[in-house]
Amino acid sequence: MFTLTSTSTSPSPSPSPSPQAAQARAAGFTASFAAGVSIPVGDTPQGIALTPGGARAYVANRGSNTVSVIDTATNTVTATIPTGAAPTFVAISPDGTRAYVTINADGLLSVIDTATNAIVADVAVAGASVVAASPDGTRVYVSGQPTNTVSVIDTATNTVTATVPVGDAPIGVAITPDGTRVYVACLASNAVSVIDTATNTTTDTIPVGILPILLTVAPDGAHVYVTNVGDSTVSVIDTAANTVTATIGVSAQPRLTTVSPDGKHAYVANAEPDTVSVIDTATNAVVEDIDFGDGPTVIAFAPDGTHAYVTNSVAGTVGVLATTVIPDQGSTAGGATVTLTGHHLANATAVRFGTAQGVITANTDTSLTAITPAGSGAVPVTVTTAGGTGTLGQFYYRPVPVLTGISPAAGPLAGSDQEIVITGRNLDGAIDVYFGPTRAVIQRVSDTQLTVRAAAAAAAGGVTVTVVTPGGRAEGLSYTYVDPPTVTGVSPTSGPTTGGTSVTITGTGLAATDQVTFNGTPAPFAVLSDTTVTATSPPSGAEGTFDVTVTGPGGNATGSFTYVSAPDI
């Protein structure tokens, strides 16, 4: 069953304009939406899509079998449409007259008339997962996860006209702006299939990361961004060559990656740490991790790029993410490159962060790039043009992080899912954590604590722990990668069921042993060297040969010991 990861459909109140927003409008600017706007929808919202022009958003609520319709002018739910079981993804026709919703559990694609918000057709597509509409509106493409196919549906007749074999377990589907190719994320193949829409055949297979789940095509069609949930990365595909040109690490459980309308940033919803990673598409580097919602899953941009709508699958809400100041946090020393998005920004004469003036490096009517000055705290970001001065958002100056502890401080060379806790100060907004050159995956973040998973390393030994936040970098802690232990001998090999036998265990990598068990029962032990451990066998309730397991940060190793009953009459 496909799933990307309380119930209320009552509208939330429309937010009151902030003084900054009022000032911006007076000066002829369009300010970002108020931060913190949260719109209650149905249960487990996943897919979201906006109508052309952005007047309405359609949200698939997988858990409540409904589609919510949001009026984006008031941020209220104006209609709730009952559907079949497990609506998952939404696509809107280019003319805005139809919303296409995958009904995953029922194996359907439901077609909604957006004028009446009524379902006018249901098209059978086994395991329907994700849907995408062609730029000319004549076709929609639907992934069928259990059938390893993509169905092509004629929108004039609402019938399936072709079924295209692709890789294993296809989920994400995206179409190039010229409509000539469809890219399909195939979860079980660790690859992306490419469909030629002229022939409805798969013409290429592109290896990507582990468990690719969703993808998107950049507005100019030059790149595809593929979210790999298995290794918490985003693969960047060059569509001219159909090859991966970059792999970008993000946080745990990433879902959809969405590119801003101007193509400058890609936004990744990270469902586990409840963040949105912001990637600079020019450098393929994460420039910010924004704390956002509870279970962020799918992101849809307003056409002007000043804000985006994010489904929060755990919270049952849609949040409004302001994107007028990106990144909106940086070092107190200044020097961060910030992109401001809005309207009427041409020929700006000044940009200020609080009272300090930044350096303008690029300027158009809808975008301005500036270098931040030094500062502290939270400050308004203002732009001055011939039309006046307006506030586009806030910028948060972050102090340098400090690290104070790590637990556990050692782990297996192959990496593991064990949670590692790093403590310190000023850790909120952490972008990256490295153990030596190896990137760790961020699971959770607070100002005083980071929880991460360690990936595999090239060699055993101690490495430096580095944490990168908008405020800077911090080191000073170490983590030790440990080779897995081995057990080559257990002597003696047997003893009485009453226990008490002194046993010598030999092998390699035993110096870090932290537990010895006989058939799962802990035994007293002592480490004599990296090759020798002694233990005392605990009592056993039964005769037989059982595992002797040595456990350490590098993993487990086993030998065997036979329990024998004492003779009796």
Side-chain angles (χ1 to χ4, degrees), residues 211-226:
L211 302 181
I213 188 170
L214 294 169
L215 43 68
T216 192
V217 181
D220 63 1
H223 296 94
V224 174
Y225 294 83
V226 187

Side-chain angles (χ1 to χ4, degrees), residues 158-171:
N158 288 324
T159 57
V160 176
T161 58
T163 303
V164 185
V166 291
D168 294 340
I171 298 182

Side-chain angles (χ1 to χ4, degrees), residues 309-391:
Y309 297 86
V310 185
T311 55
N312 294 308
S313 62
V314 177
T317 63
V318 170
V320 183
L321 175 66
T323 57
T324 50
V325 181
I326 296 294
D328 68 354
Q329 47 191 308
S331 168
T332 55
T337 299
V338 175
T339 299
L340 309 180
T341 302
H343 298 284
H344 312 300
L345 303 180
N347 302 313
T349 57
V351 57
R352 289 181 173 82
F353 295 77
T355 58
Q357 188 160 319
V359 177
I360 298 172
T361 60
N363 190 195
T364 70
D365 190 58
T366 58
S367 178
L368 184 151
T369 303
I371 307 298
T372 61
S376 62
V379 299
V381 180
T382 60
V383 175
T384 300
T385 71
T389 297
T391 301

Side-chain angles (χ1 to χ4, degrees), residues 244-270:
V244 173
T245 57
T247 301
I248 306 163
V250 290
S251 295
Q253 294 296 312
R255 295 300 189 253
L256 183 67
T257 300
T258 305
V259 182
S260 59
D262 63 8
K264 292 182 178 180
H265 295 98
Y267 292 71
V268 188
N270 302 308

